[in-house]
Coordinates of all heavy atoms in Angstrom, one line a residue:
M1 N -4.2 -14.8 15.3 CA -3.6 -13.8 14.5 C -4.5 -13.2 13.5 O -4.7 -12.0 13.4 CB -2.3 -14.3 13.9 CG -1.5 -13.3 13.1 SD -0.8 -12.2 14.3 CE 0.1 -11.1 13.1
V2 N -5.2 -14.0 12.7 CA -6.0 -13.6 11.6 C -7.3 -13.0 12.2 O -7.7 -11.9 11.7 CB -6.5 -14.8 10.7 CG1 -7.5 -14.4 9.8 CG2 -5.2 -15.4 10.1
N3 N -7.8 -13.5 13.3 CA -9.0 -13.0 13.9 C -8.7 -11.5 14.4 O -9.5 -10.6 14.3 CB -9.5 -13.8 15.0 CG -10.2 -15.0 14.5 OD1 -10.7 -15.0 13.4 ND2 -10.2 -16.1 15.3
R4 N -7.5 -11.4 15.0 CA -7.1 -10.0 15.5 C -7.0 -9.1 14.4 O -7.5 -7.9 14.5 CB -5.8 -10.1 16.2 CG -5.7 -9.2 17.4 CD -4.6 -9.6 18.4 NE -3.3 -9.7 17.8 CZ -2.3 -10.1 18.4 NH1 -2.3 -10.5 19.6 NH2 -1.1 -10.2 17.7
L5 N -6.5 -9.5 13.3 CA -6.4 -8.6 12.1 C -7.7 -8.2 11.6 O -8.0 -7.1 11.2 CB -5.5 -9.3 11.0 CG -5.3 -8.5 9.8 CD1 -4.5 -7.3 10.1 CD2 -4.5 -9.4 8.8
K6 N -8.6 -9.2 11.5 CA -10.0 -8.9 11.0 C -10.7 -7.9 12.0 O -11.4 -7.0 11.5 CB -10.8 -10.2 11.0 CG -10.6 -11.1 9.8 CD -11.4 -12.3 9.9 CE -11.1 -13.3 8.7 NZ -11.9 -14.5 8.8
R7 N -10.5 -8.1 13.3 CA -11.1 -7.1 14.2 C -10.6 -5.7 14.0 O -11.3 -4.8 14.0 CB -10.9 -7.6 15.6 CG -11.9 -8.6 16.2 CD -11.9 -8.6 17.7 NE -10.7 -8.8 18.3 CZ -10.1 -9.9 18.6 NH1 -10.7 -11.1 18.4 NH2 -8.9 -10.0 19.2
F8 N -9.2 -5.6 13.8 CA -8.7 -4.4 13.6 C -9.2 -3.7 12.3 O -9.6 -2.6 12.3 CB -7.1 -4.5 13.4 CG -6.4 -3.2 13.0 CD1 -6.3 -2.1 13.8 CD2 -6.0 -3.1 11.7 CE1 -5.7 -1.0 13.4 CE2 -5.4 -2.0 11.2 CZ -5.3 -0.9 12.1
L9 N -9.3 -4.5 11.2 CA -9.8 -3.9 9.9 C -11.2 -3.5 10.0 O -11.6 -2.6 9.3 CB -9.6 -5.0 8.8 CG -8.1 -5.2 8.4 CD1 -8.0 -6.3 7.4 CD2 -7.4 -3.8 7.9
N10 N -12.0 -4.2 10.8 CA -13.4 -3.8 10.9 C -13.7 -2.7 11.9 O -14.8 -2.1 11.9 CB -14.2 -5.1 11.2 CG -14.3 -6.0 10.1 OD1 -14.3 -5.6 8.9 ND2 -14.4 -7.3 10.4
G11 N -12.7 -2.4 12.7 CA -12.9 -1.3 13.7 C -12.6 0.1 13.1 O -12.2 0.2 11.9
P12 N -12.8 1.1 13.9 CA -12.6 2.5 13.4 C -11.1 2.7 13.0 O -10.9 3.4 12.0 CB -12.9 3.3 14.6 CG -13.0 2.4 15.8 CD -13.2 1.1 15.3
Q13 N -10.1 2.2 13.7 CA -8.7 2.4 13.3 C -8.4 1.7 12.0 O -7.7 2.3 11.2 CB -7.7 1.9 14.4 CG -7.7 2.8 15.6 CD -6.8 2.3 16.6 OE1 -6.7 1.1 16.8 NE2 -6.1 3.2 17.3
G14 N -8.9 0.5 11.8 CA -8.7 -0.2 10.6 C -9.4 0.5 9.4 O -8.8 0.5 8.3
R15 N -10.6 1.1 9.6 CA -11.2 1.8 8.5 C -10.4 3.1 8.1 O -10.2 3.4 7.0 CB -12.6 2.2 8.9 CG -13.6 1.1 8.8 CD -15.0 1.5 8.9 NE -15.4 2.1 10.2 CZ -15.9 1.4 11.2 NH1 -16.1 0.1 11.1 NH2 -16.2 2.0 12.3
Q16 N -9.8 3.7 9.2 CA -9.0 4.9 8.9 C -7.7 4.5 8.1 O -7.3 5.2 7.2 CB -8.6 5.6 10.2 CG -9.6 6.4 10.8 CD -9.2 7.0 12.1 OE1 -8.2 6.6 12.7 NE2 -10.0 7.9 12.7
A17 N -7.1 3.4 8.5 CA -5.9 2.9 7.9 C -6.2 2.6 6.4 O -5.4 2.8 5.5 CB -5.3 1.7 8.6
R18 N -7.4 1.9 6.2 CA -7.8 1.5 4.8 C -8.0 2.7 4.0 O -7.6 2.8 2.8 CB -9.0 0.6 4.9 CG -9.2 -0.1 3.5 CD -10.3 -1.2 3.6 NE -11.4 -0.8 4.4 CZ -12.0 -1.6 5.3 NH1 -11.5 -2.8 5.6 NH2 -13.1 -1.2 5.9
A19 N -8.7 3.8 4.5 CA -8.9 5.0 3.8 C -7.6 5.7 3.4 O -7.4 6.2 2.3 CB -9.8 5.9 4.6
R20 N -6.7 5.7 4.4 CA -5.4 6.4 4.1 C -4.7 5.6 3.0 O -4.0 6.2 2.1 CB -4.6 6.3 5.4 CG -3.3 7.2 5.3 CD -2.7 7.5 6.7 NE -2.7 6.3 7.6 CZ -3.3 6.3 8.8 NH1 -4.1 7.3 9.2 NH2 -3.3 5.2 9.5
A21 N -4.7 4.2 3.1 CA -4.0 3.4 2.0 C -4.6 3.7 0.6 O -3.9 3.7 -0.3 CB -4.1 2.0 2.4
E22 N -6.0 3.8 0.6 CA -6.6 4.1 -0.7 C -6.2 5.4 -1.2 O -6.0 5.6 -2.4 CB -8.1 4.0 -0.5 CG -8.6 2.5 -0.3 CD -10.1 2.4 0.0 OE1 -10.8 3.5 0.1 OE2 -10.5 1.3 0.2
R23 N -6.1 6.4 -0.3 CA -5.7 7.8 -0.8 C -4.3 7.7 -1.3 O -4.0 8.2 -2.4 CB -5.8 8.8 0.3 CG -7.1 9.4 0.5 CD -7.1 10.6 1.4 NE -6.4 10.5 2.6 CZ -6.9 10.0 3.8 NH1 -8.1 9.7 3.8 NH2 -6.2 9.9 4.9
M24 N -3.4 7.0 -0.6 CA -2.0 6.9 -1.1 C -2.0 6.1 -2.4 O -1.1 6.5 -3.3 CB -1.2 6.2 0.0 CG -1.0 7.0 1.2 SD 0.0 6.1 2.5 CE 1.6 6.0 1.7
A25 N -2.8 5.1 -2.6 CA -2.7 4.3 -3.8 C -3.1 5.2 -5.0 O -2.7 4.9 -6.1 CB -3.7 3.1 -3.7
R26 N -4.0 6.2 -4.8 CA -4.4 7.0 -5.9 C -3.4 8.2 -6.2 O -3.5 8.7 -7.3 CB -5.8 7.7 -5.6 CG -6.9 6.8 -5.7 CD -8.2 7.5 -5.6 NE -8.5 8.2 -4.4 CZ -9.2 7.7 -3.4 NH1 -9.7 6.5 -3.4 NH2 -9.3 8.4 -2.2
D27 N -2.5 8.4 -5.3 CA -1.4 9.4 -5.5 C -0.4 9.0 -6.5 O 0.2 8.0 -6.4 CB -0.8 9.7 -4.2 CG 0.1 10.9 -4.2 OD1 0.5 11.3 -5.3 OD2 0.6 11.4 -3.1
P28 N -0.2 9.8 -7.6 CA 0.7 9.4 -8.7 C 2.2 9.2 -8.1 O 2.9 8.4 -8.6 CB 0.7 10.5 -9.6 CG -0.5 11.2 -9.4 CD -0.9 11.0 -7.9
R29 N 2.5 10.0 -7.1 CA 3.9 10.0 -6.6 C 4.1 8.6 -5.9 O 5.1 7.9 -6.0 CB 4.2 11.1 -5.6 CG 4.3 12.4 -6.3 CD 4.4 13.6 -5.3 NE 3.2 13.5 -4.5 CZ 2.8 14.5 -3.7 NH1 3.5 15.5 -3.5 NH2 1.6 14.4 -3.0
T30 N 3.1 8.2 -5.1 CA 3.1 6.9 -4.5 C 3.2 5.8 -5.5 O 3.9 4.8 -5.3 CB 1.9 6.7 -3.5 OG1 1.9 7.8 -2.6 CG2 2.0 5.4 -2.7
Q31 N 2.4 5.9 -6.5 CA 2.4 4.9 -7.6 C 3.8 4.7 -8.2 O 4.3 3.6 -8.4 CB 1.4 5.2 -8.7 CG 0.0 5.0 -8.2 CD -1.0 5.5 -9.2 OE1 -0.6 5.9 -10.4 NE2 -2.3 5.5 -8.9
A32 N 4.5 5.9 -8.4 CA 5.8 5.9 -9.0 C 6.8 5.2 -8.0 O 7.7 4.4 -8.5 CB 6.3 7.3 -9.3
K33 N 6.7 5.5 -6.8 CA 7.6 4.9 -5.8 C 7.4 3.3 -5.8 O 8.4 2.6 -5.7 CB 7.3 5.4 -4.3 CG 7.9 6.8 -4.1 CD 7.5 7.1 -2.6 CE 7.6 8.6 -2.4 NZ 7.2 9.0 -1.0
V34 N 6.2 2.9 -5.8 CA 5.9 1.5 -5.8 C 6.4 0.8 -7.0 O 7.0 -0.2 -6.9 CB 4.3 1.2 -5.6 CG1 4.0 -0.2 -5.8 CG2 3.9 1.7 -4.3
R35 N 6.2 1.5 -8.2 CA 6.8 0.9 -9.4 C 8.3 0.8 -9.4 O 8.9 -0.2 -9.8 CB 6.4 1.8 -10.6 CG 5.0 1.4 -11.2 CD 4.8 2.0 -12.5 NE 4.8 3.4 -12.5 CZ 3.7 4.2 -12.3 NH1 2.5 3.7 -12.1 NH2 3.8 5.5 -12.3
G36 N 9.0 1.8 -8.7 CA 10.4 1.7 -8.6 C 10.8 0.6 -7.7 O 11.8 -0.2 -8.0
L37 N 10.1 0.4 -6.6 CA 10.5 -0.7 -5.7 C 10.3 -2.1 -6.4 O 11.1 -3.0 -6.2 CB 9.6 -0.6 -4.4 CG 10.0 0.5 -3.4 CD1 8.9 0.6 -2.4 CD2 11.4 0.3 -2.9
L38 N 9.1 -2.2 -7.0 CA 8.9 -3.5 -7.8 C 9.9 -3.8 -8.8 O 10.4 -4.9 -8.9 CB 7.5 -3.4 -8.4 CG 6.3 -3.5 -7.4 CD1 5.0 -3.4 -8.2 CD2 6.3 -4.8 -6.6
A39 N 10.4 -2.8 -9.5 CA 11.4 -2.9 -10.5 C 12.7 -3.4 -9.9 O 13.3 -4.3 -10.4 CB 11.6 -1.6 -11.3
R40 N 13.0 -2.9 -8.7 CA 14.2 -3.3 -8.0 C 14.1 -4.7 -7.6 O 15.1 -5.5 -7.7 CB 14.4 -2.3 -6.8 CG 15.9 -2.1 -6.6 CD 16.1 -1.2 -5.4 NE 15.4 0.0 -5.4 CZ 15.1 0.7 -4.3 NH1 15.6 0.4 -3.2 NH2 14.4 1.8 -4.4
F41 N 12.9 -5.1 -7.1 CA 12.8 -6.5 -6.6 C 12.8 -7.5 -7.8 O 13.3 -8.6 -7.6 CB 11.4 -6.7 -5.8 CG 11.5 -6.1 -4.4 CD1 10.6 -5.2 -4.0 CD2 12.5 -6.5 -3.6 CE1 10.6 -4.7 -2.7 CE2 12.6 -6.0 -2.3 CZ 11.6 -5.1 -1.8
R42 N 12.3 -7.1 -8.9 CA 12.2 -8.0 -10.1 C 13.6 -8.2 -10.6 O 13.8 -9.0 -11.5 CB 11.3 -7.4 -11.2 CG 9.9 -7.6 -10.8 CD 9.0 -7.4 -12.0 NE 7.7 -7.1 -11.5 CZ 7.1 -5.9 -11.8 NH1 7.7 -5.0 -12.4 NH2 5.9 -5.7 -11.3
G43 N 14.6 -7.4 -10.2 CA 15.9 -7.7 -10.6 C 16.4 -6.6 -11.6 O 16.5 -6.8 -12.8
G44 N 16.7 -5.6 -11.1 CA 17.3 -4.7 -12.1 C 17.3 -3.3 -11.5 O 18.4 -2.8 -11.4
G45 N 16.2 -2.7 -11.3 CA 16.2 -1.3 -11.0 C 16.5 -0.5 -12.3 O 16.6 0.6 -12.2
R46 N 16.5 -1.3 -13.4 CA 16.7 -0.6 -14.7 C 15.4 0.1 -15.1 O 14.3 -0.4 -14.9 CB 17.1 -1.6 -15.8 CG 18.4 -2.2 -15.5 CD 18.8 -3.2 -16.7 NE 17.8 -4.3 -16.8 CZ 17.8 -5.4 -16.2 NH1 18.8 -5.6 -15.3 NH2 16.9 -6.3 -16.4
K47 N 15.5 1.2 -15.7 CA 14.3 1.9 -16.2 C 13.9 1.3 -17.6 O 14.7 1.2 -18.4 CB 14.5 3.4 -16.4 CG 14.9 4.1 -15.2 CD 13.7 4.8 -14.6 CE 14.1 5.6 -13.4 NZ 13.1 5.8 -12.5
H48 N 12.7 0.9 -17.7 CA 12.2 0.3 -18.9 C 11.4 1.4 -19.7 O 10.4 1.8 -19.2 CB 11.3 -0.9 -18.7 CG 12.0 -2.0 -17.9 ND1 13.0 -2.7 -18.6 CD2 12.0 -2.5 -16.7 CE1 13.5 -3.6 -17.7 NE2 12.8 -3.5 -16.5
H49 N 11.8 1.7 -20.8 CA 11.1 2.8 -21.6 C 10.4 2.1 -22.8 O 10.9 1.4 -23.6 CB 12.0 3.9 -22.1 CG 12.5 4.7 -20.9 ND1 11.7 5.7 -20.3 CD2 13.6 4.7 -20.2 CE1 12.4 6.3 -19.4 NE2 13.5 5.7 -19.3

């Protein structure tokens, strides 16, 4: 399983997926969504100001 994942990540499709993930990580809207999900998982979903 791990070897298959390594092969995927080192191949062209894996590089494209990694580049797409990096672009999404830089997007402020994506960051806000992730923060919202993490807040929900941490127990609350309350907005902390």
